[in-house]
Each structure stands twice: as structure tokens, then as C-alpha cells.
Amino acid sequence: MNSSPTGVGRRAFLGRTAGVTAGVTAGAALLNTLPTAPASATSRDDASHPVRTQSGLVTGVPAALPGVTVYKGIPYAASTAGENRWRAPQAPPSWQGVRKADTWGAACPQPVTGIAADKVPPLSEDCLNLNIWTGAGSSPARRDLRPVFVWIYGGRNSAMWASQPVYDGANLAAKGAVVVTYNHRVGAFGNLAHPALSSEGGHGGSGNWGVRDTVAALKWIRRNIAAFGGDPERVTLAGWSHGSSFVNILMISKLARGLFHRAVLSAGVQYTKDPALGHVAGGYAQLAAAEANGTAFATYMGASSLSNLRALTADEIVTKVYAQDAPATATNFGNVLDGYVLPKSYTAAMTSRTEYDIPVLTGNNKDENGASPTLTMTVAAYEAYAATTFGAQAADFLALYPATTDAEAAAQYNDYARDEERVSTFLWGTQFRVTAANRSPVHTYWWTHVPPGHDTTNPIEPADGVGAYHGAEKYYLFGNLYGTDRPWTAADHAIADRTSSYVANFAATGNPNGHGLPTWPALRTSKPVAMELGDHFAPLPAADTDAKYAFLKGYLESQATDY
């Protein structure tokens, strides 16, 4: 059965294949007629001026901030229904006259049970659409073109759509970027691999349909974004969690080479031998395993051929995949090492020096990777974990992270998990610079600030009490606190302004630093540090002590499995 995770750390949040919101459970129905939120009443002259794309003319509407226009729901590829299901995205439709881009596009099919109806957009297989925010004075003149920031949503097959308020791009547009968010196929629609699909596609592999949608969106942006004032030669591809895994794949794949020029991997990347990659969104399945899952899926769906599978309705697929008694062996959909979209493993990309050499900004959060402010653990359980995880080095681990009471056990486990996360990110950065011999800078961060209260406007967000959880930095990266209902403080607004300025600078130049901002040093392979963002803005060590760093580095480097 695919069940919803109850935690929000990386291990709990990403270790399963179901929705991210408690209550996203069996028999999820597709909702097709729900209203979307009204556009902002803020006036802007540019909103009514048609912009020419290769498909036709579009007009936008005023965005959430003055001086910014948003264009909603522009198709970048054709419907994925029928014969286009589990095929590469096809060319977008054209239209006559002027298309009013004033309504969010449909999201791709996924479970929505347990999510408030007013938070769910229409769902349809005709879902490959994008949204663009651009500021006043944006011009297609070459000297005036602005950097482009393309965002990929995160999650795990539910609450995955680009129109959530947490992804609103008005603030970054006001800071000089052209922001694009887009919808792509998810779950069975976005990741099904099957021997017949591998044969049909002509590349010897299948799966990764959502990544291929991303390539199609980037190609659309390449052809059209200048009309919105964006520079096709300065495109930042960014995403969190699941979205970060797409960025990671496309830094290896040849399919998007040259279509983006900087990368933001938020919550984030791991060292390529980190055991966490076996169960987080950044991992992948081998093609044979993914095809076996696809074969079992076809049997479970009662389909004897691809045509039978394509004849099923989207509702049938969603309902059965997320049914309470759905077999795990037929409903496990994630990224695939297919030999085409993802041509080689993460380690092989580093060692063969084929990793895309572009500036990278990446980081992780304080309360993920198993860490939690509410963690409880007995000394016995802590010692058993140490023995299972570190084997002969368990005594060394316990000497570095000692615990004699249950409270100490929980606190020491948190300290260890947080250290290991930072060490893993730093080791990835050293691979990028040393193993892959790349010259571009890497800037790493460690997010520590806890968003206040609870956000009911975004179904992917957890309830209170989970600390600086997996993905908590999204609000601040965008600086879009205005679009949500958390009880933001003056400190939150200051943190968001500073963090989003780093992002805007990185999109513009490949360097997050700028006037008035605390200096964020680029990664130096001889100095294991990260930049703390959130409660403070300053470098901090990758681990609390040199001895802890040496131990965790040795542990990660000694792992037998290369991802």
C-alpha cells in the first residue's frame, strides 16, 4: 500500500511513494471543476499588452505586487492524454487572436483526498502549462533582458502543482528576475517504466516522463522568454526535494545541456555514496527494477498491452495506485536510471567528468535527515542504531556523540543527523569541484529558521512543531510571505528579503553575494563549512568538531554502494 508519511524530515517525508499531506490516502478522486483564486486587483499597464509567443499572443494580469505581471497557464506542450500518455511531450497547440493568460492551468493527475477542495486546481492530463512573472519595464531588447528563474515544485506525487502560493514569483520578479513555474507529470504518469515503453521509445529505456516535460519547458523558454523580457542565456534551473532531483538529473543528462546556466538544488544534494540516496527523492531505481514495477503495475491494472493502459482513464489509475490495498511492488514510481534521460549514475557522472560545469547553489535543512525538535529516543534504541549503522565503528561514534539518558540520546542523534547532512552536502561539493574537475563555484547553505505557525494556503506544508523542516526555506527563497497566512514577524520579513536577494543575485550573476548582504563564501574543498541561512547569516562548520567531521567523512566514503 502507498500510505502518507507522518513526518517531514527527509527520511520520513521522502521515504515513501504516497502524498505528502496527512490524509492523502485511498481512492483519491480527481477534481476537475474547482475555482482558482482571483487575480490581484493591482493595476499594471503592461498586463493588457499582448506578448507574442510562437503559439500565439497572450496577455497577463497584475500579480500580487505592484509593477509585476503574471501570465498564467500558458501551454508549453500538448495534452498527455491518450496516445501521448507515457510518451515524450509533443509540440504545444497554437491559437488565433489573443489568449488571456489569467487563470492557472490544470495540474497533472494525482491524489487529492485529504486536501481542502479550495486548494486543489482542476486536474487533467492536459496539464503541461507554465506561469511567468515579469516586472515593469521588461523588454525584449537584448540590453534589457533579465535573468530567468525556473522553479520545479517538490513533494511526493500529491499536492504537486505550480500555482500554490508558496511558489508565487512576484517578489523575485520585483527584484529583477523573470520567474517561471510549470506543471509536469507526476506519479505513475510521470515515472512509469515498462519493457514495452522502453522498446517503443527507441532509446532502450523508459520512465522519467516528468524530467522530459522539464526539458520541453526549458525549450519553450529558450524560444519564447525574451518576449517577456527574459534572457535565454541566463536561465537558472531551481527546485526543492523532488524538484531538486530533476535539476540533479539534468546536470548529468545531455537533453537539457545549454538550456540552463545555473542550478539551485534546495533540499538538496547528497554525496553520491550517502546511504540516504537509497530512500530520498534524489535517488533512483535501476531500469530493470523500474520495468519490473511497471510490468506488475500493468497486471494490477488488468491491462495486457500499452494500448490497454492508455485506454484507462486518469481517475482509474489514480484511484487504484493509491488504494489502501495497492501492492507496493506495482505502485513504486520514482526517478529511473534509464540510460537516456539519466544516462549514468551520479558517481559515474562525477568520475567521467560529464557533470554540467555551471554555478551551483545548494543546501539542506536543520530538521530533516531524521532530525526533529520533537524527537524521542531511548538510550537502548540509540545504541542499537549506532551498532546497526556503524558496525565496528559504533564505539567511536558513541564516543563522539555520547548519551547516558534518553534525553541525551535524542539530542545526540539530532546533532549527528545534522552534522551528517552538512558533511554529505560538502562532500558532494568536493566531488563537483575535484572529482568532476569543474571550475564553476558552489555555494552551500544550512537552513535553520523555523517558519511560524501553520500555512493553510499550501497543502504541502506541515503543521506546527516540526522545526526547520524539509523545504521550510521555500518561502524565504522566493520572499513571498505576502501570499500565505502564517503569522509572519518583522524578523521573518527581514530574513525573506535577505534570502531572496541572494537568490536574485545568483540568478543574475551565478554569485549570491551583493551589496548589503553578509558575505557567502564559495565552497573551498580544504575548508568544510556551509553558510547558515535563517536564524543567522554566517559560515558554520560542516560538523561541530574536526573529529566528528573526520568520522562522518570516513563513514560516508567507506560505503560500498555508489549511486
Side-chain angles (χ1 to χ4, degrees), residues 53-444:
T53 73
Q54 291 187 341
S55 296
L57 294 167
V58 296
T59 56
V61 292
L65 295 181
V68 179
T69 294
V70 59
Y71 301 82
K72 302 177 180 180
I74 301 174
Y76 67 85
S79 171
T80 63
E83 290 303 306
N84 284 344
R85 186 185 288 170
W86 302 308
R87 284 199 168 109
Q90 304 298 303
S94 298
W95 56 85
Q96 300 295 318
V98 179
R99 182 188 184 108
K100 293 183 178 180
D102 58 357
T103 303
W104 302 119
C108 297
Q110 58 192 279
V112 295
T113 299
I115 302 175
D118 63 349
K119 303 299 184 293
V120 181
L123 300 184
S124 166
E125 289 189 87
D126 190 4
C127 59
L128 302 188
N129 56 76
L130 53 77
N131 315 299
I132 301 170
W133 287 260
T134 188
S138 297
S139 166
R142 176 59 59 182
R143 66 183 179 277
D144 296 327
L145 293 180
R146 301 179 177 189
V148 181
F149 184 79
V150 182
W151 180 259
I152 313 173
Y153 46 63
R156 192 69 171 183
N157 302 334
S158 181
M160 298 178 75
W161 47 82
S163 57
Q164 289 192 45
V166 74
Y167 306 135
D168 184 275
N171 177 66
L172 288 178
K175 291 191 173 191
V178 174
V179 179
V180 182
T181 65
Y182 71 99
N183 288 320
H184 63 265
R185 287 172 283 184
V186 300
F189 303 91
N191 291 100
L192 178 70
H194 189 281
L197 288 172
S198 297
S199 177
E200 176 186 84
H203 304 293
S206 56
N208 298 324
W209 308 109
V211 181
R212 297 188 72 169
D213 295 342
T214 305
V215 175
L218 288 170
K219 289 180 176 178
W220 189 96
I221 290 165
R222 179 79 178 179
R223 294 189 299 265
N224 295 282
I225 204 64
F228 298 87
D231 187 350
E233 300 297 336
R234 281 192 297 165
V235 175
T236 297
L237 187 62
W240 79 276
S241 190
H242 158 97
S244 177
S245 79
F246 279 22
V247 181
N248 201 8
I249 287 171
L250 290 175
M251 289 178 66
I252 297 170
S253 179
K254 299 295 186 183
L255 298 183
R257 199 56 55 95
L259 297 178
F260 65 103
H261 313 92
R262 336 202 192 292
V264 174
L265 303 102
S266 173
V269 293
Q270 288 81 36
Y271 175 59
T272 65
K273 297 178 76 173
D274 190 332
L277 281 168
H279 57 257
V280 301
Y284 55 76
Q286 297 288 335
L287 178 61
E291 287 182 336
N293 176 78
T295 300
F297 165 76
T299 300
Y300 173 55
M301 297 302 300
S304 59
S305 66
L306 288 182
S307 60
N308 292 155
L309 280 174
R310 288 176 171 138
L312 295 170
T313 67
D315 294 282
E316 289 177 282
I317 293 173
V318 171
T319 298
K320 290 202 69 173
V321 167
Y322 295 93
Q324 188 170 2
D325 59 350
T329 55
T331 56
N332 187 17
F333 302 103
N335 299 326
V336 183
L337 183 59
D338 64 338
Y340 176 63
V341 178
L342 180 57
K344 58 185 67 177
S345 70
Y346 301 149
T347 299
M350 294 289 192
T351 57
S352 64
R353 299 187 170 181
T354 54
E355 186 90 11
Y356 197 10
D357 189 3
I358 55 174
V360 174
L361 190 155
T362 187
N364 292 295
N365 294 27
K366 181 179 178 181
D367 293 311
E368 58 182 358
N369 196 37
S372 168
T374 59
L375 179 70
T376 59
M377 180 175 286
T378 66
V379 172
Y382 180 59
E383 292 177 346
Y385 174 84
T388 300
T389 304
F390 301 107
Q393 282 73 50
D396 296 334
F397 169 79
L398 291 171
L400 291 167
Y401 298 92
T404 57
T405 68
D406 292 351
E408 288 177 346
Q412 292 284 30
Y413 180 89
N414 276 340
D415 287 348
Y416 143 69
R418 291 162 180 162
D419 285 349
E420 184 184 72
E421 189 85 343
R422 295 199 301 277
V423 171
S424 182
T425 303
F426 175 77
L427 291 179
W428 182 93
T430 64
Q431 286 182 301
F432 183 84
R433 294 300 306 274
V434 176
T435 307
N438 288 329
R439 299 173 63 88
S440 297
V442 175
H443 288 81
T444 65

Side-chain angles (χ1 to χ4, degrees), residues 116 118-119 164-168 451-464 469 475-476 480-489 492-493:
D118 63 349
K119 303 299 184 293
Q164 289 192 45
V166 74
Y167 306 135
D168 184 275
H454 177 50
D455 178 7
T456 64
T457 66
N458 295 290
I460 203 167
E461 300 305 309
D464 300 356
Y469 58 86
Y475 299 99
Y476 304 89
N480 57 16
L481 277 55
Y482 50 79
T484 61
D485 63 354
R486 286 183 182 271
W488 303 112
T489 66
D492 287 296
H493 285 283

